[in-house]
Amino acid sequence: MVNTKNINLVGIGLGNPNLLTKAAISALERSTVIIGAKRMVDSVKEDFPNKKYFTEYNTEKIIEIIRENMDSETAVVFSGDISLFSGSLKLFDKLKYLVEEKDFKDCNINTYPGISSLSYLCAKSNTDISKVKILSFHGKEELLYHNIDSNEFTFIITSKGEGVKEICRKLIDFGLFDLDIILGENLSYENERITKAKASKLIEMEISDLNCMLISNPDADKSISIGLPDEVFARDKVPITKSEVRAVIMSKLDICQNSICYDIGAGSGSISIEMSRLAYEGKVYAIEKNPLAVELIKKNIHNFSAENIELIHAKAPDGLDNILDADKIFIGGSGGELINMMEMIFTSKKNPTIVISAITMETIAQITDIVKLAKEKGYDTEITAVNVSKSKEVGPYNMMIAQNMVFIAVIKM
């Protein structure tokens, strides 16, 4: 008979052994070897004595420990639930490719969910978990404003106590200072504390490093419109791509939530702002050479809390260091370098969607050459002329006042 070995990936919950599931307890009782990070190992040692314990969290090292103990049933313990920001996901992927190896032949990989800090805090606060957006600032960066502004509840796993305060400072800067925050500290332990407060109060508190937070925004708005009114932007004397033309440009770019975007010749930043709202899990690079325009872009970034815009004060093609990573590119001003920029962009293996606007005959002539070159490289192309007129009251009458005709070229695979 084949001697089948079990590798058990166990979510131990928040750390209180009383919250272990019966299935997890059974798996730990059967296992001779238990591996995990120090806090997880310490939380089960007392209730499961006479085991061979290893304190380790590195995936490759855990695999080596399992390999060296293949004659024993093994459990790897993880905090919370193994499906929520858990190292077990990476370990499972590694192990499933090893089961055909001689050492791992006939091994079963078993998974045991635990109670997550998310489900625990939602239960304690009577919050519908189906309405919650989940973020983690533990060892990574997330875009905060859009997620909180567009979700009724946002759950955040933070990085230490200072991480909570940093998020609260950002909320105040964003003007979201009046939102209710439920802070959970040391959940399930004897020193558990759950606090409901505004950001300003939490900043003044001593906060445990073992924490998570749930932010409530009853006025959340999930809609994202394009073609924002011109009046919402700081403009001064810098030209702005008008609202109706901007809407056409954004529709042609077809930006996804995780797109990497470039706005070259960003002007006052209206296109950059529109990009950032659509690519709310992506990145926008705004390239502008005019010092006055750069200051306006800074104001608009602040006014719209556009965390995912990186402003680069340069004349293209300078400042295009990451252009080959972009999948959406808008060129509204080229400074006479349009051909050079396009030659650089055409070397990208990402086959980006490129939209170019033009109002001068000289730029239109260059676009004609670029379109011809793009077709030779296998791109689809189109050129659209947009002519917008808007009404203006003149005495008792309304007259239609024409804006500049704008030519919009689209180049995409």
Side-chain angles (χ1 to χ4, degrees), residues 2-242:
V2 175
N3 183 17
T4 301
K5 297 294 192 305
N6 290 318
I7 301 172
N8 304 310
L9 309 185
V10 181
I12 64 166
L14 296 155
N16 184 333
N18 292 328
L19 296 180
L20 279 169
T21 67
K22 284 187 176 181
I25 291 171
S26 177
L28 292 173
E29 286 175 341
R30 291 195 316 268
S31 299
T32 306
V33 174
I34 298 179
I35 311 167
K38 186 177 186 305
R39 183 171 72 86
M40 273 57 80
V41 166
D42 288 347
S43 71
V44 298
K45 260 185 177 179
E46 184 177 340
D47 291 310
F48 300 92
N50 305 318
K51 306 289 184 182
K52 192 175 180 181
Y53 284 96
F54 293 88
T55 301
E56 185 56 68
Y57 62 87
N58 179 275
T59 300
E60 299 300 332
K61 291 181 179 178
I62 288 173
I63 290 172
E64 285 309 307
I65 294 170
I66 295 172
R67 192 189 297 274
E68 291 165 4
N69 293 272
M70 288 305 293
D71 57 337
S72 304
E73 183 161 352
T74 300
V76 187
V77 290
F78 299 89
S79 66
D81 182 60
I82 57 173
S83 65
L84 182 66
F85 299 119
S86 176
S88 95
L89 299 170
K90 182 179 178 182
L91 179 59
F92 184 91
D93 283 342
K94 292 274 188 179
L95 288 172
K96 73 179 182 181
Y97 288 111
L98 293 174
V99 293
E100 296 303 320
E101 284 190 10
K102 181 180 177 182
D103 287 351
F104 288 85
K105 195 79 171 173
D106 301 318
C107 280
N108 286 331
I109 306 170
N110 305 311
T111 55
Y112 299 90
I115 297 175
S116 67
S117 54
L118 167 64
S119 60
Y120 188 94
L121 190 59
C122 284
K124 287 282 188 176
S125 60
N126 194 33
T127 302
D128 183 348
I129 201 169
S130 69
K131 297 179 179 179
V132 177
K133 172 70 176 182
I134 307 167
L135 303 178
S136 173
F137 282 78
H138 187 69
K140 61 187 289 192
E141 283 295 322
E142 297 268 16
L143 296 176
L144 193 62
Y145 178 80
H146 172 83
N147 283 298
I148 292 174
D149 188 53
S150 60
N151 289 284
E152 186 178 352
F153 298 101
T154 305
F155 174 81
I156 304 176
I157 298 174
T158 70
S159 182
K160 301 191 174 180
E162 185 55 36
V164 174
K165 296 186 179 184
E166 181 59 29
I167 289 168
C168 289
R169 293 185 195 104
K170 285 187 175 183
L171 292 178
I172 293 169
D173 288 343
F174 295 153
L176 301 174
F177 48 82
D178 203 36
L179 299 183
D180 286 326
I181 302 170
I182 298 173
L183 174 67
E185 301 172 82
N186 305 310
L187 296 179
S188 84
Y189 291 98
E190 289 184 0
N191 59 341
E192 170 183 296
R193 180 172 67 168
I194 297 176
T195 307
K196 184 176 181 179
K198 310 292 186 187
S200 57
K201 180 180 176 181
L202 294 181
I203 288 173
E204 298 171 354
M205 290 172 48
E206 288 294 324
I207 297 173
S208 167
D209 287 344
L210 191 59
N211 67 70
C212 57
M213 56 200 304
L214 186 63
I215 302 171
S216 172
N217 182 8
D219 298 321
D221 182 6
K222 287 184 178 291
S223 65
I224 302 175
S225 59
I226 59 174
L228 294 170
D230 299 339
E231 295 74 23
V232 301
F233 296 100
R235 292 185 290 167
D236 202 355
K237 296 177 182 178
V238 175
I240 187 173
T241 303
K242 297 298 190 291

Side-chain angles (χ1 to χ4, degrees), residues 23 79 117 132 141 162 164 197 229 253 294 303 306 312 315 329 348 403:
S79 66
S117 54
V132 177
E141 283 295 322
E162 185 55 36
V164 174
L253 282 167
V294 166
N303 291 345
I312 301 173
K315 178 184 176 182
I329 300 169
S348 174
Q403 299 178 0

Side-chain angles (χ1 to χ4, degrees), residues 297-318:
I297 295 171
K298 288 179 182 177
K299 287 182 183 178
N300 283 317
I301 289 173
H302 178 266
N303 291 345
F304 284 88
S305 301
E307 304 165 89
N308 55 341
I309 296 179
E310 181 176 329
L311 172 59
I312 301 173
H313 185 183
K315 178 184 176 182
D318 292 340

